Amino acid sequence: MAHPFARGLLAFAALGLSGCAAFSPDSGMTTVADLTRRTINKDVAFVRTAEGADVVNEGVRRLLSRTLSADAAVQIALLNNKGLQAAYNELALAETDLVEQSLPPNPVFSVLRISGNGASEVERQVVGDILALATLPFRSEVARDRFRQAQLRAALATLRLATDVRRAYVRAVAANEMVALLTDAKSTAESTAQLAVKLGETGSINKLDQAREQVFYAETTADLATARQAATSARERLARLMGLWDDGLDFRLPNALPPLPRRPLALPSIETDAVAHRIDLQIARLELTALAKSLNLTEATRFVTLLDLAGISRRTQDPEGAPFRERGFDVQFQIPIFDGGEVRVRQVTETYNLAFNRLTERAVNVRSEARDAYRAYRSTYDIASHYQREILPLRKIITEEMQLRFSSMQVDIFALLTEARQRLASLRGAIDAKQKFFLAQSELQTAVNGGGLPAGGTDNSTTIAAAAPADGVH
């Protein structure tokens, strides 16, 4: 055990320990919190203690105590959604991988004792993986890049949840607004249908006009039932995303979507902003960097994948003589006769090329998604604004004029009812147009910052479990 080789091996291991990573107090959540606050101005919390859970629950109760806004719904989800907490658990697990990859391999201590006929032999060995120690700084650097990717993935999961909540909120409020509109329309249609029945009994209207009023009432009733079901489903989806249990399901939503902004956003450099800020692109860039480092390490160790050094101390007891001690060392290395490392180098090279092509494809798609999202944003704004500035004011004028003419007996009740049905169609169109605008606004934010799913609904980023050289180092 006192052999210089053993002492040197232990000293080498101690030197490797000096550069090891340690567990952070927050499991890497500082980066996630900073990105979330900078991107959508919201707070996140990784709940790991009962005290932390109490603080989060109190904040959620406070936000639920008043009528829910879109920002409040997003904040509740970021604090309370258990799926997001699971994503933060994955980040904590990724940190354990970082710490593990930065630790030198443990030396192996073995004791062998053989005895017989009064003689005995005791052999002690300390075996260390010299190649793993030599490549430790490089493998640790790759592991840090992987952990940085894990942090960005946690931030991406946070933005995705925020995007989903905004969409669900817009749909839920729009559905409530549609229910209120159709409830009033059904009441009016019911009164009209009853009036048509009475007029039909006196012979004032024919069966055709009477059937028209009755079918309008029947169709409005069916539309209202459909709208109520849609509103219930939209509310339930919002509740799921916010992670609400029984005591929070009675949250209050506004009766209508907020008014349109005075003017749309002007984003002349939206493509540049998207390429610079998209988190999925940052993840892909880090992946490429880590693979480049893995490729260099693989090429450097392509011929030697096993290099073990053992310090040996042997004590022999012979009954016919005095005991004696022997010291020495044992070196094991792999002879690259059949595999000269070409397979590993080719694997890492092709993986790097794959990641490069995926990154290039993602960059092209990001630019296109940003352009398309802005066009949709401007188009839906113009349409919704057209309803608010042109169609609905004109419908109001028509309604007022028709009522004046009806009062002066210039038009009959059926002309007034026909106009009411047309006005209802315009109001429904206005609600739908406003909903599409706010959904497009959310998609625009997603296109610039990330948080949506790539085409096909799956993430195409390349992920390698560990650096290739580590697979061959023992």
Side-chain angles (χ1 to χ4, degrees):
M1 292 294 291
H3 194 276
F5 279 108
R7 292 198 300 269
L9 185 63
L10 293 175
F12 196 12
L15 182 62
L17 281 170
S18 63
C20 294
F23 289 105
S24 60
D26 60 351
S27 300
M29 282 296 297
T30 299
T31 299
V32 179
D34 291 344
L35 275 171
T36 304
R37 193 174 298 111
R38 187 168 63 248
T39 304
I40 58 176
N41 195 27
K42 292 291 178 290
D43 297 324
V44 297
F46 186 15
V47 181
R48 308 179 74 177
T49 63
E51 293 78 6
D54 291 339
V55 172
V56 166
N57 292 335
E58 179 59 31
V60 170
R61 282 194 294 269
R62 186 173 60 254
L63 291 171
L64 289 173
S65 64
R66 46 186 180 268
T67 301
L68 205 62
S69 65
D71 287 336
V74 170
Q75 186 60 81
I76 290 172
L78 297 188
L79 296 176
N80 202 48
N81 184 281
K82 299 307 178 185
L84 185 61
Q85 291 296 311
Y88 295 159
N89 290 130
E90 291 177 354
L91 175 59
L93 288 173
E95 188 179 39
T96 64
D97 293 336
L98 166 63
V99 174
E100 181 182 28
Q101 288 295 322
S102 67
L103 292 174
N106 291 324
V108 178
F109 175 71
S110 65
V111 178
L112 174 66
R113 185 178 186 278
I114 301 175
S115 61
N117 295 327
S120 65
E121 182 176 284
V122 178
E123 179 179 294
R124 302 178 180 88
Q125 291 190 33
V126 178
V127 184
D129 189 340
I130 301 302
L131 184 60
L133 284 172
T135 58
L136 179 62
F138 304 99
R139 291 187 292 109
S140 179
E141 189 176 354
V142 172
R144 290 183 186 279
D145 289 338
R146 300 293 185 198
F147 180 61
R148 173 64 176 165
Q149 282 182 281
Q151 290 177 305
L152 292 180
R153 288 195 181 94
L156 188 60
T158 305
L159 295 185
R160 282 177 176 167
L161 177 61
T163 298
D164 290 341
V165 172
R166 287 192 181 276
R167 291 169 182 160
Y169 178 87
V170 168
R171 292 189 174 102
V173 175
N176 282 353
E177 191 172 357
M178 188 66 73
V179 167
L181 175 64
L182 290 174
T183 300
D184 292 341
K186 177 179 177 290
S187 177
T188 302
E190 183 178 13
S191 301
T192 303
Q194 293 174 353
L195 176 61
V197 171
K198 294 179 180 179
L199 292 176
E201 292 174 351
T202 62
S204 299
I205 63 172
N206 56 40
K207 290 184 177 181
L208 177 60
D209 291 334
Q210 184 178 348
R212 283 173 177 166
E213 301 311 318
Q214 290 174 340
V215 77
F216 175 64
Y217 170 60
E219 290 173 345
T220 304
T221 302
D223 289 345
L224 177 58
T226 302
R228 283 174 174 165
Q229 176 57 46
T232 301
S233 296
R235 183 184 179 90
E236 286 295 337
R237 172 164 176 76
L238 180 59
R240 288 196 302 271
L241 291 172
M242 291 192 295
L244 298 181
W245 201 248
D246 292 340
D247 56 349
L249 296 178
D250 58 345
F251 60 89
R252 300 190 303 275
L253 290 174
N255 296 324
L257 290 169
L260 296 175
R262 287 190 171 185
R263 57 182 62 86
L265 297 174
L267 301 174
S269 59
I270 184 171
E271 296 177 50
T272 304
D273 293 340
V275 171
H277 298 136
R278 282 283 287 261
I279 294 182
D280 51 350
L281 275 183
Q282 296 180 43
I283 293 173
R285 293 188 190 105
L286 280 174
E287 178 71 23
L288 200 64
T289 301
L291 286 172
K293 294 174 182 177
S294 297
L295 178 59
N296 292 336
L297 187 55
T298 301
E299 290 178 341
T301 60
R302 61 180 299 178
F303 296 111
V304 180
T305 59
L306 174 65
L307 181 57
D308 289 346
L309 175 63
I312 302 173
S313 175
R314 181 180 300 163
R315 183 178 183 277
T316 303
Q317 175 69 50
D318 192 333
E320 298 180 358
F324 62 92
R325 185 182 299 274
E326 299 172 292
R327 296 184 180 88
F329 65 90
D330 177 27
V331 177
Q332 296 183 28
F333 59 91
Q334 192 175 69
I335 302 175
I337 297 177
F338 305 107
D339 182 5
E342 293 88 352
V343 174
R344 292 189 301 118
V345 171
R346 178 64 63 89
Q347 287 175 338
V348 177
T349 301
E350 291 305 322
T351 303
Y352 176 86
N353 292 335
L354 184 152
F356 176 80
N357 289 325
R358 285 279 170 80
L359 173 60
T360 305
E361 178 196 28
R362 188 89 280 266
V364 171
N365 292 344
V366 162
R367 290 171 62 90
S368 175
E369 289 167 7
R371 293 192 302 266
D372 187 52
Y374 185 70
R375 292 191 190 103
Y377 167 81
R378 283 305 307 265
S379 175
T380 54
Y381 178 85
D382 292 340
I383 294 171
S385 179
H386 183 68
Y387 267 96
Q388 300 297 324
R389 293 197 314 264
E390 302 292 338
I391 296 177
L392 294 186
L394 288 174
R395 278 294 172 198
K396 183 179 180 182
I397 293 173
I398 292 172
T399 299
E400 293 172 350
E401 291 297 321
M402 289 294 291
Q403 289 174 346
L404 289 174
R405 282 164 175 72
F406 177 73
S407 300
S408 61
M409 302 183 66
Q410 298 180 31
V411 297
D412 59 14
I413 183 63
F414 301 108
L416 190 64
L417 295 175
T418 299
E419 191 282 326
R421 286 194 289 269
Q422 294 172 345
R423 183 169 182 268
L424 175 63
S426 296
L427 289 171
R428 294 178 70 172
I431 294 174
D432 185 63
K434 188 187 287 189
Q435 173 183 270
K436 289 180 178 177
F437 164 72
F438 283 108
L439 290 175
Q441 187 178 55
S442 176
E443 294 295 335
L444 179 63
Q445 186 179 40
T446 298
V448 174
N449 298 317
L453 287 176
T458 57
D459 194 347
N460 289 330
S461 61
T462 305
T463 303
I464 307 300
D471 297 336
V473 175
H474 304 285

